[in-house]
Amino acid sequence: MTVPSPQPSVIQSAKKLVLKVGSSLVTNEGKGIDIDAVSRWAAQIAQLRAQGRQIVLVSSGAIAEGMARLGWPRRPSAMYELQAAAAVGQMGLVQAYEAAFTHHGIRTAQILLTHEDLADRRRYLNARSTLYTLLALGVVPIVNENDTVVTNEIRVGDNDTLGALVTNLIEADALVILTDQTGLYSADPRKHPDATFIHQGQAGDPALEAMAGGSGSAIGTGGMLTKVLAARRAANSGGHTVIASGHEANVLLRLAAGEPIGTELRAVLPVRSARQRWLANHLRLRGRVTLDAGAVRALTEAHRSLLAIGVVDVEGDFERGDVVACVDEHGVECGRGLINYSAADTARILRRPSSQIADILGHMSDQELMHRDNMVFARRRPTAAPQ
Ligand code: GLU
């Protein structure tokens, strides 16, 4: 599971990198953008570029900068105020990056994404080709969530996950998540003095996910679990993840030189195809179908298509072509895919053999409720949803 003696960092050989910096690394508590910090990140990234690497930067900090510009001492809780702060602050964030990178003769581009942009196949492909084009042009894309327009239904929600989605989108070799913590411990070191630091592990290892999010692990509440799950997602396209402290001097240059800093979560699972990743990366689904035990086995063990006869329940309001989850009787997801029938039609044909579909509905578009070619299957049972 974990390797005690660290090898050289995977970042050493990574040519295409997604770098995520958290708000605390680019802003001063209550005072907005920390220009010196932004300049230091730009200087390091300029050196990585000079080494022939391509970088996409995912940066938080818009809300913190917006609060400072608006003179708000406390983070508002109302969505519309957060969105207003993000709209004001994003200006400052990209201004700071542009000024800092211009100093090194590097152009920057602003990319604001929502989950919906990545869930819609055409917009996903557009975002992908734009990022590829920018990288080919030598530009450093600076990505953030489009906080101004997001609602809970369409938001990614955090920039660790957004960083992993961008890693998948551009098939980056590695995702570096810089934070104000040193990395992952086996337990909360404040409560467990014997907790050990995890130098290296495998992305998607359920034991690490339990350490990051398990009960009694304060360090895992929120922050670290999101990062460990982001590593699992990044691994879908073969991206390794490093979670390290942004307070380490020259952390990016040292990682690039092979110094093992932080927690490295290596991508060891077979890489999913771009289409499977697109399916797996749907964070918000339109509905779900509950399967009987036989159908669960057919999906998880043989990766078969889903037939209506194996479905016992349907929830949600979806149309033909929407992405829908397949869950077992405990609600654990065993796969997901593009469904061939609407929620209303599915409710009418569930538990029925395919030969009766035409009679029941008066039409039949497909034998299968979901075809295996349009599905992605969970890699682990019983705890994991496809990520
Ligand atoms: N998009 C938010 C911001 O720029 C940050 C979200 C996050 O850090 O996860 O303030």
Side-chain angles (χ1 to χ4, degrees):
M1 181 189 71
T2 56
V3 180
S5 63
Q7 300 160 337
S9 171
V10 285
I11 304 305
Q12 191 172 32
S13 57
K15 288 267 170 280
K16 207 192 290 182
L17 284 158
V18 175
L19 169 65
K20 185 261 172 172
V21 286
S23 294
S24 66
L25 300 176
V26 288
T27 57
N28 275 317
E29 191 82 22
K31 289 198 237 94
I33 300 288
D34 179 345
I35 298 290
D36 292 341
V38 168
S39 303
R40 286 196 297 274
W41 293 124
Q44 289 189 63
I45 291 168
Q47 287 203 46
L48 297 186
R49 285 276 320 275
Q51 295 168 359
R53 301 175 204 258
Q54 295 182 316
I55 316 283
V56 174
L57 184 61
V58 176
S59 179
S60 312
I63 293 175
E65 167 68 1
M67 284 165 52
R69 288 189 169 200
L70 292 165
W72 293 352
R74 274 178 307 280
R75 189 183 165 94
S77 52
M79 187 70 142
Y80 60 90
E81 285 177 329
L82 287 169
Q83 291 177 322
V88 171
Q90 183 66 25
M91 298 289 288
L93 193 62
V94 291
Q95 272 170 3
Y97 277 119
E98 194 185 41
F101 278 105
T102 301
H103 189 68
H104 299 278
I106 295 174
R107 286 212 179 283
T108 51
Q110 173 182 246
I111 309 265
L112 297 176
L113 294 172
T114 65
H115 173 252
E116 208 170 51
D117 298 323
L118 302 174
D120 179 279
R121 184 87 187 143
R122 214 163 22 160
R123 282 154 75 173
Y124 164 89
L125 293 172
N126 281 342
R128 179 182 157 96
S129 77
T130 303
L131 281 165
Y132 270 106
T133 306
L134 290 168
L135 289 175
L137 292 169
V139 174
V140 173
I142 298 172
V143 180
N144 198 358
E145 180 137 33
N146 195 352
D147 293 305
T148 305
V149 297
V150 289
T151 57
N152 279 337
E153 287 70 43
I154 63 163
R155 70 204 297 253
V156 175
D158 69 86
N159 277 0
D160 298 325
T161 307
L162 184 61
L165 293 172
V166 173
T167 303
N168 287 170
L169 198 61
I170 62 160
E171 288 166 1
D173 303 308
L175 166 66
V176 181
I177 298 179
L178 294 175
T179 171
D180 50 11
Q181 294 172 29
T182 50
L184 178 66
Y185 283 86
S186 59
D188 184 348
R190 288 166 296 187
K191 287 192 199 148
H192 305 272
D194 55 344
T196 51
F197 188 75
I198 310 294
H199 292 283
Q200 202 183 93
Q202 298 185 349
D205 180 343
L208 295 179
E209 290 166 16
M211 284 174 196
S215 55
S217 153
I219 216 154
T221 49
M224 202 45 79
L225 180 59
T226 314
K227 291 170 179 50
V228 172
L229 292 177
R232 164 138 62 107
R233 198 177 286 285
N236 279 338
S237 55
H240 305 294
T241 297
V242 171
I243 304 165
S245 168
H247 297 303
E248 285 278 347
N250 288 322
V251 62
L252 292 176
L253 301 179
R254 286 162 57 200
L255 283 168
E259 192 179 329
I261 305 173
T263 297
E264 180 174 293
L265 298 177
R266 294 198 176 210
V268 291
L269 293 169
V271 170
R272 289 194 194 275
S273 70
R275 183 171 170 79
Q276 286 177 327
R277 291 199 306 268
W278 174 73
L279 287 168
N281 283 339
H282 274 72
L283 305 181
R284 323 235 174 250
L285 303 178
R286 304 299 294 260
R288 62 183 202 169
V289 287
T290 305
L291 315 191
D292 64 20
V296 169
R297 267 199 311 281
L299 253 69
T300 51
E301 288 167 19
H303 291 186
R304 294 236 180 86
S305 296
L306 176 65
L307 302 178
I309 194 163
V311 174
V312 296
D313 194 17
V314 52
E315 289 164 66
D317 180 18
F318 50 83
E319 293 301 324
R320 170 177 157 85
D322 282 342
V323 180
V324 168
C326 305
V327 300
D328 69 12
E329 55 176 335
H330 305 294
V332 175
E333 188 174 332
C334 46
R336 62 178 61 181
L338 301 174
I339 198 155
N340 289 329
Y341 292 88
S342 68
D345 284 351
T346 303
R348 293 172 65 198
I349 60 175
L350 55 79
R351 293 182 201 259
R352 301 297 193 93
S354 304
S355 56
Q356 292 181 9
I357 294 178
D359 282 345
I360 298 168
L361 299 181
H363 63 90
M364 184 178 75
S365 50
D366 297 86
Q367 294 275 352
E368 306 84 9
L369 195 59
M370 258 184 220
H371 194 277
R372 52 182 292 171
D373 291 350
N374 292 327
M375 295 179 74
V376 59
F377 302 95
R379 296 187 201 266
R380 295 192 280 105
R381 283 195 312 140
T383 50
Q387 291 197 357

